[in-house]
Amino acid sequence: MTGRILHFGPGNFHRAHQAIFTQQAGGWTITGVSLKSAETRDALAGQAFDYTLVIRDADGERMERMTVLDDILVAPENPDAVLDTLADGSVQVVTVTVTEKGYHLNANGRLNLSDPEVAADLDTDLPRTLVGYLARGLMRRQIDMAGPISVISCDNLSGNGAKLRTAVMDFAQAAGLGLTLSEATFPDTMVDRITPRAPDDLSDRVAAIDLPYAAPVVTEGFSEWVIADDFAGPRPAWETAGARLVADVAPFEARKLRMLNGAHSMLAYAGLNRGFVHVHEAVADPDLRRRCRALMQAAAGTLQGVGEDELRIYGEALIVRFDNPALQHALAQIAMDGSQKMPVRIGAVLSELAATGGDTGPHVFALAEWCRFVIGQDGTVLDDPMAERLAKAAGEGDPVSALLNVIGIGLPEVEMELVRASLRGTTDQDIKGTAI
Ligand code: CS2
């Protein structure tokens, strides 16, 4: 089987994850769509869209030549070309990695119609947002009767496929499009591969061994992809490359979001607040290591459908992955867009723990460290789509309530007070005493 995938967001994560699963499965090519900048297209065009994937873990470093990308469309240069490609019958799979903020969802998981970019897209036939492109492109496809299509979100949202489908339908309805999506499916997925920004010297190292040297990607050895077996038409044989096709992704997704991503965010804020730069340095700090384990353990208590032993082993394997010094994974990279990440990774878990009498300490601590980080920015602009509102909330008399309110985390007053107490703790001893 051969075919063509249209991928929105051909950044490092896509090029380390879905791209290699697709290359190994064989037969399919990927056309990328950059929604904003021409940077990746400009870097890769001179290499016929080949690039080098550098895999670094305890076994050392290995490099792989990637040949699966055939082109990158830069959407703002020619929006029509993107819409036409979505309506092209040769494209039967769409994949998406645009990060959490690229979906423009509100706290209820619906499309935020008052977001300025979404509102602008509702008014024009030539969109700028992912959801605008999908709604208008799939409408063209419906009119052209170009056949079934599977649209696969690969971002860290819970129920990512269902959320994307809802957002596309919300857009179509608000724009008055008669979109039915009767020939489209939106399978949920869990994606996992730690992929930091590539270090500056990586191109030179790659060039030295005569591989494509522009825009190389660095990643870890581990990778996992679990996909709901809900395809509208043909797809690459991803299972031959190690992907798992399952009836229900939810348990895998919750395990990864709550244990890996939750611990990542805690380490990012608490680590930066203590002057660490990289994940492996933060997790080597005995206190943060203990808190990391405690957070994973508490999160594991909220998970259903996965055995206790399996979760303990998974947690220990995560610590080993975080320890990987060769990745040089910057905490600042994880810390960005906290407003989009904290509700999913920490807030939802904390609410469940509070409601069921679980150990809320580690998640209370994570929220307090996020608050401390935001308050500590003081004058510098936060790397977050809600930066302005957060800066204002950080200056209020009760910054904890104000900040959590901005990002839609509502907590019982007892937990709210625990977050305030953890934030007030000026010495490490105080923080320990109140949070764990
Ligand atoms: C990280 C993720 O930056 C972040 O928010 O937590 O990108 C994480 O590295 C991946 O989800 C790992 O699969």
Side-chain angles (χ1 to χ4, degrees):
M1 181 74 219
T2 59
R4 185 175 172 210
I5 297 173
L6 190 67
H7 178 80
F8 285 86
N12 289 344
F13 178 68
H14 166 70
R15 294 195 288 128
H17 190 274
Q18 303 96 58
I20 188 146
F21 278 94
T22 305
Q23 178 158 311
Q24 286 174 355
W28 286 60
T29 56
I30 302 174
T31 302
V33 178
S34 291
L35 285 172
K36 294 207 163 84
S37 118
E39 201 183 320
T40 310
R41 192 266 322 267
D42 292 349
L44 296 184
Q47 299 173 174
F49 298 96
D50 289 358
Y51 61 93
T52 303
L53 186 62
V54 181
I55 298 154
R56 287 182 171 170
D57 54 25
D59 307 333
E61 179 178 88
R62 70 194 167 80
M63 299 198 187
E64 185 128 6
R65 187 189 191 106
M66 298 294 298
T67 56
V68 70
L69 270 177
D70 64 6
D71 196 5
I72 292 180
L73 309 175
V74 178
E77 288 177 2
N78 190 352
D80 242 340
V82 178
L83 295 169
D84 278 346
T85 312
L86 276 165
D88 184 331
S90 73
V91 172
Q92 288 157 321
V93 173
V94 170
T95 50
V96 175
T97 51
V98 294
T99 79
E100 296 87 339
K101 65 176 172 242
Y103 292 73
H104 302 286
L105 302 177
N106 61 27
N108 303 322
R110 303 302 294 257
L111 184 65
N112 183 1
L113 295 169
S114 53
D115 178 283
E117 286 185 64
V118 175
D121 272 11
L122 286 169
D123 265 353
T124 166
D125 289 342
L126 298 177
R128 283 184 304 174
T129 66
L130 167 76
V131 172
Y133 271 108
L134 287 177
R136 294 194 186 277
L138 295 177
M139 191 59 216
R140 266 191 209 186
R141 190 177 183 93
Q142 184 176 313
I143 292 166
D144 294 354
M145 296 192 290
I149 190 157
S150 310
V151 184
I152 309 175
S153 163
C154 301
D155 283 298
N156 289 322
L157 305 164
S158 55
N160 49 12
K163 287 220 170 80
L164 181 55
R165 188 182 196 283
T166 302
V168 169
M169 279 314 258
D170 284 347
F171 184 97
Q173 224 154 41
L177 307 174
L179 184 68
T180 63
L181 294 182
S182 60
E183 287 205 282
T185 59
F186 289 73
D188 283 333
T189 61
M190 182 277 267
V191 292
D192 190 8
R193 189 165 212 182
I194 296 175
T195 306
R197 251 175 228 130
D200 292 340
D201 66 350
L202 195 65
S203 272
D204 292 343
R205 287 173 57 79
V206 172
I209 54 164
D210 214 18
L211 277 166
Y213 60 84
V217 180
V218 70
T219 193
E220 64 176 337
F222 181 94
S223 75
E224 203 176 4
W225 197 7
V226 184
I227 315 167
D229 197 353
D230 177 24
F231 291 87
R235 61 166 176 84
W238 284 315
E239 66 278 23
T240 62
R244 284 172 74 177
L245 295 161
V246 301
D248 183 14
V249 174
F252 300 95
E253 203 174 58
R255 181 194 67 176
K256 190 258 174 173
L257 274 173
R258 293 181 172 203
M259 292 181 70
L260 188 158
N261 296 113
H264 246 177
S265 288
M266 182 281 282
L267 285 172
Y269 301 116
L272 288 166
N273 292 339
R274 284 159 181 70
F276 295 112
V277 175
H278 298 110
V279 172
H280 68 280
E281 294 151 2
V283 79
D285 175 80
D287 180 49
L288 292 184
R289 199 172 185 83
R290 187 175 59 79
R291 290 177 186 278
C292 185
R293 284 209 166 95
L295 184 135
M296 288 184 190
Q297 200 183 339
T302 69
L303 299 174
Q304 270 132 37
V306 200
E308 233 175 77
D309 271 357
E310 193 184 328
L311 290 173
R312 204 179 24 78
I313 294 165
Y314 179 74
E316 282 312 306
L318 288 179
I319 302 263
V320 173
R321 290 169 66 193
F322 294 171
D323 275 337
N324 183 349
L327 286 181
Q328 298 283 307
H329 194 180
L331 296 167
Q333 192 184 339
I334 302 169
M336 66 189 272
D337 297 346
S339 66
Q340 313 294 303
K341 297 174 177 175
M342 292 302 272
V344 185
R345 302 174 176 196
I346 302 292
V349 192
L350 179 48
S351 299
E352 270 180 42
L353 287 166
T356 55
D359 176 14
T360 57
H363 289 78
V364 161
F365 173 75
L367 273 188
E369 290 300 304
W370 173 72
C371 293
R372 192 188 307 286
F373 174 78
V374 175
I375 295 165
Q377 294 302 299
D378 200 21
T380 52
V381 181
L382 205 62
D383 197 343
D384 193 298
M386 297 187 121
E388 241 171 75
R389 289 179 63 194
L390 292 174
K392 191 160 167 281
E396 302 217 343
D398 176 6
V400 168
S401 305
L403 286 169
L404 296 188
N405 187 36
V406 170
I407 66 171
I409 295 183
L411 293 178
E413 187 48 35
V414 182
E415 269 67 38
M416 209 57 126
E417 193 46 51
L418 286 174
V419 180
R420 290 187 197 106
S422 180
L423 181 61
R424 275 195 305 270
T426 44
T427 68
D428 207 37
Q429 205 45 51
D430 288 337
I431 299 169
K432 267 185 217 161
T434 56
I436 284 188

